[in-house]
């Protein structure tokens, strides 16, 4: 079987190249290639199984009674008529939920104790998908019951029904008699912050969930040294993720009484922990399984329906119960993106160099904390890397209101903050009569910058090259000159905006990832990861990394797409744009361990010293020549069946990434504003990203296009609307919400500047979330360029633009 | 109330009683055709599209009883019986038009109907034809490209069309 490869020049060249100089010039064979997405065929043939595609015999249906009032106390709740309806198996209210004093009991107490003693405190939970913290001060605010006695927004879960089918469950909901004492609905942060406003959560004075950011240097001193001081106010609206698959889950008890939950989530391990906490049971009593997920964008980085689903199955003796949210429910009773109001003050010199920035922000978290103040703080933390200044002060507050709960959404506070700052900087450039690119260039970060707070060092930075590339793509100089003299009813303009982000949450939170590899008899491998693919393609990217290390073709790498807390290695999940970077480290480590074991095993078979061997294209080869000594399959077979040496080759590793990497990028946009109608048309838009090495160009392009389209929706049309008095949602459906359709999308141009990030596996930095950050400010700045009117509030929908143009005297 | 209906799904014949309140979407999923996805249930998102006698419909808005006498194609019936992907499926895979995959079955089916219509479409017409399908992952770029590539190779039943190709023989009903 031994095969000499001396004549195979292409293989040899590649081999020599790989082992040659190493380092930056290392050529990858699988990483960097647009290999086919590992689940694409399953998804185009309808074979991919999502949560709702699994059937359990006699599955019951769980439905939720939502509050019709934004702020109300339940005075009485009578479920007797609902319970009497044939086909109803259980009705749950706050009275049935576990109390802290029972927190160590085993499952089964749900529904068993109906004593309506309100003084006994019931368990409250925090729902955010953050890793647990051993430090109590660092944990999420626990302000929520599974079912509430006090409604805090229209849609709050008051009661729940388990029935034999949908129609009976719906009917039963109508038979629950609830009497409310209606309280004043605080539908804006202004109303919630008003002196004497009613408290949404007892003990939370002023309805302020949290406040505080950071200070670098002395901003007041920096302002004194500045030639100019500029101030601006900017505002964003509430938007929703609108993943195509609504939140859905089903739960049952296995024969040992453990609760099994199959759910559409980004964070199975965190779901398991929060369900256990909510029910006051040991964490090991809960098992969570994540099949294919139909998009999440952060909304599924939160625990919305699973604790209730677990309570439902316990209430019916462990029989399977399914909760499938309707779109209208999903749009108000899961999570939204925080609306922000910003006040920014900047001190700048005549030459465009910024001395100091002071950003104040009010973040609207809605009725419950969820991710709470983390959104504001995290955005501030990511902003610090773009324009380092002598002095920067960020002081956000996060406020409760009687609106749906805000949580994580793609880029976690950054679309808000960068919209505000990049708009502000554009306004400054205009006032100083500077080119927008020039003013940014004067202030951009350089490689080697160390953030004074996180101590994270910028190891790679391609932002300047990104700007150059974007500028050329959109033909900036040519069009700028062309549009200088314009008149008529349709005006064109150019705009741009930059961002910085991060790759994971370190040092704020734990960044643990796990990977497991098994070498099969035929030399193929299974890769198990705790990282969750929710459509973005992490399974493929991580599979490519293994293929790279082990020099395997992709069809020899089987990635297990399902995560199961009983089986999968521990990983905190899909959020913070962390998986390619952080989970990639674990995967690389696992693959290197397997490679080492393969070579050791081959050494034991051949008596060739292990350091003389390497793995190349499914063969064990001499390192110096590329000459083949064994096939990988021979080693694999021997590792399973050798009567003396057999020891199947596997690895099971965990990686605690105590490091971070900063990706950068820019959006360039060209718009045409129809003065008569206020309609903005995006003519051209380019996103150029420095995300380090691009693992899979085609998938990366897809991430950017999807993010840009979400950013265009954020800029131009999307907004959840509420009645100002009652807090009732007005457009919680896909028809009225104005999600962009194919007809609304311009061609989206994508380009990359590939730096090599030395801290990342294969030189990668994050890519999934960043594309959605800067389309809105770039479009806003282009509209300013076209019309001279600054739109400081999102979305810039035709009505708002029309009003703005009218105010400015253009109409 | 129940009513007996006879119909076919991917050329397999069915004949049974359905609850007159049930939607075609619910019935198909109950029969195990779970590739048909529910994104809204009220005809806003297009995820549940199936072909009824070759025409794309939102199956959530189509009552199961109306399927009487119809030939229904779901995503499970698009690939050849030996598993070979159709031109449209292949284009979606190759162009990276699949991310989370929840909108994919509906889009593949509508694109299939466009291909089978034998007509040519401009880019804008294609965008309009596909605009009933919402996608949050891709920004539609790769989907549009996949549709364009699918149409380049489309077969057409019009004998005078440059894309003329004999259509596959219709499967006998029941």
């Amino acid at each position: 079987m031994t095969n000499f490869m001396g004549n195979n020049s292409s293989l040899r060249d590649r081999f020599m190249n790989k082992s040659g100089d190493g380092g930056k010039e290392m050529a990858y064979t699988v990483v960097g290639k647009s290999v086919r997405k590992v689940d694409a065929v399953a998804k185009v043939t309808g074979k991919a199984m999502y949560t709702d595609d699994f059937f359990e015999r006699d599955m019951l249906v769980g439905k939720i009674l939502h509050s019709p009032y934004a702020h109300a106390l339940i005075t009485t709740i009578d479920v007797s008529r609902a319970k009497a309806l044939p086909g109803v198996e259980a009705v749950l209210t706050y009275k049935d939920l576990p109390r802290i004093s029972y927190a160590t009991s085993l499952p089964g107490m749900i529904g068993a104790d109906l004593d309506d003693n309100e003084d006994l405190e019931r368990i409250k939970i925090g729902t955010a998908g953050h890793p647990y913290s051993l430090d109590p001060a660092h944990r999420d605010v626990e302000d929520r019951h599974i079912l509430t006695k006090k409604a805090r927004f229209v849609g709050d879960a008051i009661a729940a029904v388990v029935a034999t089918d949908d129609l009976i469950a719906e009917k039963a909901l109508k038979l629950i008699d609830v009497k409310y004492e209606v309280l004043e609905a605080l539908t804006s942060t202004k109303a919630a912050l008003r002196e004497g406003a009613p408290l949404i959560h007892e003990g939370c004075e002023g309805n302020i969930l949290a406040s505080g950011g950071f200070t670098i240097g002395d901003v007041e001193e920096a302002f004194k040294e500045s030639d100019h001081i500029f101030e601006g106010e900017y505002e964003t609206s509430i938007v929703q993720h609108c993943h195509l698959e609504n939140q859905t889950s089903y739960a049952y008890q296995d024969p040992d009484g453990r609760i099994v939950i199959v759910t559409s989530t980004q964070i199975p391990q965190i779901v398991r922990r929060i369900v256990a906490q909510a029910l006051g049971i040991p964490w090991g009593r809960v098992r969570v399984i994540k099949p294919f997920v139909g998009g999440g964008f952060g909304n599924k980085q939160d625990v919305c329906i699973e604790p209730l689903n677990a309570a439902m199955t316990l209430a019916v003796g462990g029989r399977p119960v399914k909760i499938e949210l309707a779109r209208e429910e999903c749009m108000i009773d899961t999570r939204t993106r925080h609306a922000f109001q910003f006040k920014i003050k900047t001190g700048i010199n005549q030459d465009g160099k910024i001395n100091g920035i002071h950003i104040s922000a009010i973040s609207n978290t809605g009725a419950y904390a969820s991710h709470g103040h983390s959104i504001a703080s995290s955005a501030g933390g990511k902003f610090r890397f773009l324009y380092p200044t002598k002095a920067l002060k960020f002081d956000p507050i996060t406020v409760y209101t009687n609106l749906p709960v805000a949580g994580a959404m793609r880029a976690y506070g950054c679309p808000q903050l960068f919209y505000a700052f990049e708009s502000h900087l554009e306004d400054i450039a205009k006032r100083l009569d500077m080119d927008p690119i020039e003013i940014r260039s004067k202030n951009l970060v350089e490689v080697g910058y160390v953030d004074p707070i996180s101590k994270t060092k910028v190891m790679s930075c391609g932002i300047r090259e990104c700007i150059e590339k974007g500028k050329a793509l959109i033909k900036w100089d040519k069009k700028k000159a062309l549009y200088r003299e314009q008149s008529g009813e349709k005006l064109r303009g150019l705009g741009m905006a930059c961002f910085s982000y991060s790759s994971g949450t370190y040092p704020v939170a734990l960044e643990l990832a796990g990977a497991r590899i098994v070498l099969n008899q035929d030399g193929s491998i299974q890769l198990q990861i705790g990282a969750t693919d929710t459509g973005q393609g992490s399974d493929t990217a991580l599979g490519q990394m293994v293929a790279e290390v082990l020099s395997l073709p992709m069809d020899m790498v089987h990635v297990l797409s399902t995560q199961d807390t009983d089986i999968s290695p521990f990983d905190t999940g899909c959020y913070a744009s962390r998986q390619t970077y952080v989970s990639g480290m674990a995967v690389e480590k696992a693959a290197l361990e397997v490679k080492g074991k393969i070579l050791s095993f081959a050494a034991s078979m051949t008596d060739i010293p292990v350091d003389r061997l390497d793995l190349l294209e499914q063969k064990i080869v001499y390192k110096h020549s590329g000459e083949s000594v064994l096939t990988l399959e021979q080693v694999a077979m021997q590792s399973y069946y050798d009567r003396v040496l057999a020891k199947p080759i596997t690895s099971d590793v965990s990686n605690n990434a105590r490091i971070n990497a900063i990706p950068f990028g820019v959006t360039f946009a060209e718009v045409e504003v129809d003065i008569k109608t206020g309609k903005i048309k995006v003519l051209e838009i380019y996103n150029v990203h420095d995300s380090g090495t691009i693992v899979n160009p085609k998938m990366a392009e897809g991430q950017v296009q999807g993010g840009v389209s979400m950013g265009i929706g954020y800029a131009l049309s999307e907004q959840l609307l509420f009645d100002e008095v009652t807090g009732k949602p007005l457009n919680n459906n896909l028809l009225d919400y104005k999600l962009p359709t194919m007809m609304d999308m311009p061609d989206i141009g994508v380009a990359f500047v590939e730096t090599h990030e030395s801290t990342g596996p294969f030189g990668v930095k994050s890519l999934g979330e960043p594309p959605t950050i800067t389309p809105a400010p770039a479009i806003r700045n282009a509209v300013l360029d076209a019309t001279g009117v600054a739109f400081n509030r999102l979305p810039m929908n035709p009505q708002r633009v029309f009003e703005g143009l009218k105010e400015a005297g253009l109409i | 109330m129940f009513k007996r209906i006879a119909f076919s799904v991917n050329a397999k014949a069915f004949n049974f009683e359905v609850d007159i309140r049930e939607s075609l979407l619910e019935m198909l999923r109950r029969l195990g055709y779970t590739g048909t996805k529910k994104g809204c249930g009220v005809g806003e998102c297009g995820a549940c599209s199936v072909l009824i006698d070759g025409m794309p419909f939102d199956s959530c808005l189509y009552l199961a009883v109306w399927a009487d006498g119809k030939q229904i194609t779901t995503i499970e019936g698009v690939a050849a019986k030996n598993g070979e992907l159709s031109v449209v499926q292949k284009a979606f895979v190759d162009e990276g038009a699949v991310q989370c995959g929840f909108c994919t079955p509906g889009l593949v089916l509508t694109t299939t109907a466009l291909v089978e219509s034998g007509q040519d479409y401009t880019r804008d017409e294609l965008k309009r034809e596909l605009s009933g399908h919402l996608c949050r992952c891709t920004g539609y770029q790769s989907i549009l490209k996949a549709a364009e590539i699918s149409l380049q190779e489309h077969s057409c039943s019009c004998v005078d069309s440059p894309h003329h190709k004999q259509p596959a023989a219709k499967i006998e009903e029941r």
Side-chain angles (χ1 to χ4, degrees), chain A residues 351-352 387 422 425-426 429-430 433-444 463-478 480 494-498 666-669 781:
Chain A
D351 65 358
Y387 306 117
E422 287 294 280
L425 193 54
E426 193 80 8
K430 199 172 156 68
D433 199 23
M434 277 183 85
D435 182 82
I437 295 175
E438 193 192 345
I439 198 169
R440 286 172 174 86
S441 303
K442 289 236 158 98
N443 294 287
L444 284 169
I463 181 64
R464 289 164 198 278
E465 294 84 346
C466 288
I467 292 173
E468 281 310 309
K469 223 171 187 175
K471 189 180 168 186
L473 283 166
I474 207 158
K475 302 185 181 69
W476 179 269
D477 293 331
K478 189 181 152 200
K480 272 274 184 189
L494 293 178
M496 53 89 71
C498 304
V666 61
T667 303
F668 277 84
N781 294 341

Side-chain angles (χ1 to χ4, degrees), chain B residues 29-47:
Chain B
R29 292 187 55 82
R30 191 161 54 74
L31 291 174
Y33 297 101
T34 53
T36 311
K37 300 300 180 202
K38 181 179 175 182
C40 68
V42 290
E44 293 161 354
C45 75

Side-chain angles (χ1 to χ4, degrees), chain B residues 140-159:
Chain B
Y140 304 106
Q141 309 291 299
S142 48
I143 293 172
L144 182 61
K145 197 162 174 207
E148 284 179 329
I149 286 172
S150 306
L151 279 155
Q152 279 166 15
E153 301 179 33
H154 75 198
S155 63
C156 178
S157 53
C158 313
V159 284

Side-chain angles (χ1 to χ4, degrees), chain A residues 780-802:
Chain A
R780 180 266 185 200
N781 294 341
V783 173
L784 173 67
D785 186 45
T787 64
V789 184
F791 289 92
N792 295 346
R793 190 175 169 198
L794 291 179
M796 297 176 286
N797 56 23
Q799 181 177 348
R800 220 167 259 162
V801 172
F802 182 82

Side-chain angles (χ1 to χ4, degrees), chain A residues 43 50 53 241 718 740, chain B residues 29 37 89 99-100 136 140:
Chain A
K43 287 173 175 175
Y50 300 72
D53 300 339
H241 313 68
E718 292 180 39
Chain B
R29 292 187 55 82
K37 300 300 180 202
Q89 286 172 317
Q99 287 193 30
C100 86
R136 191 57 145 169
Y140 304 106

Side-chain angles (χ1 to χ4, degrees), chain A residues 36-37 43-44 50 52-53 240-241 246 327 535 698 702-703 706 718 734 739-740 745-748, chain B residues 21 29 34 37-39 44 75 85 89 93-94 98-101 123 127-128 136-141:
Chain A
R36 189 171 77 190
K37 201 165 179 285
K43 287 173 175 175
V44 293
Y50 300 72
D52 205 33
D53 300 339
Q240 222 258 343
H241 313 68
N246 289 311
R327 177 60 61 180
K698 185 153 274 178
Q703 283 303 294
E718 292 180 39
L734 294 175
L739 193 70
M745 275 304 116
D747 288 348
I748 297 170
Chain B
R21 298 169 297 186
R29 292 187 55 82
T34 53
K37 300 300 180 202
K38 181 179 175 182
E44 293 161 354
I75 190 67
L85 299 184
Q89 286 172 317
V93 170
D94 293 345
V98 180
Q99 287 193 30
C100 86
R123 197 150 209 245
K127 278 186 167 188
R128 183 174 290 276
R136 191 57 145 169
C137 296
T138 63
Y140 304 106
Q141 309 291 299

Side-chain angles (χ1 to χ4, degrees), chain A residues 36-37 39-41 43-50 52-55 166-167 239-246 292-295 297 322 324 326-328 409-410 534-536 698-699 701-703 705-707 709-710 713 718 733-737 739-743 745-749, chain B residues 19 21 26 29-32 34-47 75-79 83 85 88-90 92-96 98-105 107-108 123-124 126-145 147:
Chain A
R36 189 171 77 190
K37 201 165 179 285
D39 51 14
V41 170
K43 287 173 175 175
V44 293
T45 52
K47 287 176 186 157
M49 300 282 278
Y50 300 72
D52 205 33
D53 300 339
F54 295 89
F55 290 86
D166 281 57
L167 296 173
V239 295
Q240 222 258 343
H241 313 68
C242 299
H243 36 75
L244 261 277
E245 181 201 32
N246 289 311
F292 279 112
V293 171
F297 311 110
K322 176 180 279 191
E324 188 195 345
R327 177 60 61 180
E328 293 74 12
M409 184 169 168
R410 197 174 195 168
T534 58
Q536 76 279 39
K698 185 153 274 178
M699 287 191 343
E701 203 178 319
Q703 283 303 294
Q705 289 165 340
S709 119
M710 196 177 264
E718 292 180 39
N733 61 69
L734 294 175
L735 190 65
D736 300 318
Y737 175 74
L739 193 70
T741 71
M742 196 180 279
M743 290 175 71
M745 275 304 116
D747 288 348
I748 297 170
Chain B
D19 188 320
R21 298 169 297 186
E26 288 161 335
R29 292 187 55 82
R30 191 161 54 74
L31 291 174
T34 53
T36 311
K37 300 300 180 202
K38 181 179 175 182
C40 68
V42 290
E44 293 161 354
C45 75
I75 190 67
E76 290 88 350
V78 174
L85 299 184
V88 177
Q89 286 172 317
K90 200 170 169 307
F92 271 67
V93 170
D94 293 345
E95 292 311 310
V98 180
Q99 287 193 30
C100 86
F102 215 73
C103 70
T104 307
L107 274 154
V108 166
R123 197 150 209 245
D124 282 346
L126 204 49
K127 278 186 167 188
R128 183 174 290 276
E129 289 293 334
L130 296 174
S131 65
H133 294 269
L134 295 177
C135 168
R136 191 57 145 169
C137 296
T138 63
Y140 304 106
Q141 309 291 299
S142 48
I143 293 172
L144 182 61
K145 197 162 174 207

Side-chain angles (χ1 to χ4, degrees), chain A residues 262-466:
Chain A
V262 180
T263 182
S264 177
T265 184
Q266 299 173 216
I267 45 162
Q269 290 287 350
I270 296 171
V271 170
R272 173 186 186 224
R273 187 241 312 163
I274 293 176
V275 167
Q277 288 174 324
L279 299 176
I281 60 175
W283 298 6
R285 305 287 298 169
V286 181
R287 175 182 179 187
V288 175
I289 299 168
K290 182 233 83 153
F292 279 112
V293 171
F297 311 110
N299 202 8
K300 294 172 183 171
Q301 190 209 341
D302 216 306
V303 179
C304 295
I305 55 174
E306 296 90 347
L308 177 60
N309 202 170
M312 284 173 169
T313 188
L314 292 180
V316 295
R319 282 181 285 163
V321 184
K322 176 180 279 191
I323 300 179
E324 188 195 345
L325 292 189
R327 177 60 61 180
E328 293 74 12
E329 288 178 291
C330 179
M331 286 183 80
I332 55 163
D333 191 14
T334 58
R335 302 292 176 264
T336 62
R337 191 191 282 286
H338 291 69
F340 272 72
Q341 295 151 276
F342 293 95
K343 278 187 185 170
I344 308 181
K345 186 174 177 184
T346 295
I348 192 166
N349 287 346
Q350 184 60 35
D351 65 358
K353 179 71 191 159
I354 299 170
N355 286 323
I357 306 167
H358 182 185
I359 303 173
S360 304
I362 300 173
S363 163
N364 181 350
T365 200
Y368 295 98
S370 174
H371 286 254
H373 198 56
S374 304
I375 304 281
S377 349
S378 169
K382 285 156 182 158
F383 173 74
R384 291 201 298 265
F385 290 92
L386 189 58
Y387 306 117
T389 52
K390 272 187 282 183
L392 173 62
K393 188 174 178 185
F394 181 53
D395 50 7
I397 62 169
T398 298
V399 180
Y400 282 122
T401 57
N402 292 121
L403 292 175
V405 185
M409 184 169 168
R410 197 174 195 168
Y412 213 75
C414 286
Q416 296 96 314
L417 179 50
F418 282 89
Y419 162 71
F421 191 80
E422 287 294 280
S423 298
H424 177 64
L425 193 54
E426 193 80 8
D427 295 344
I428 293 174
K430 199 172 156 68
R431 295 270 292 278
L432 293 180
D433 199 23
M434 277 183 85
D435 182 82
I437 295 175
E438 193 192 345
I439 198 169
R440 286 172 174 86
S441 303
K442 289 236 158 98
N443 294 287
L444 284 169
V445 69
E446 301 278 358
V447 169
Y449 173 72
V450 179
D451 173 45
I453 294 171
S454 66
K455 309 294 177 207
T456 296
K457 187 174 179 180
V458 174
M459 302 293 289
S460 59
C461 175
I463 181 64
R464 289 164 198 278
E465 294 84 346
C466 288

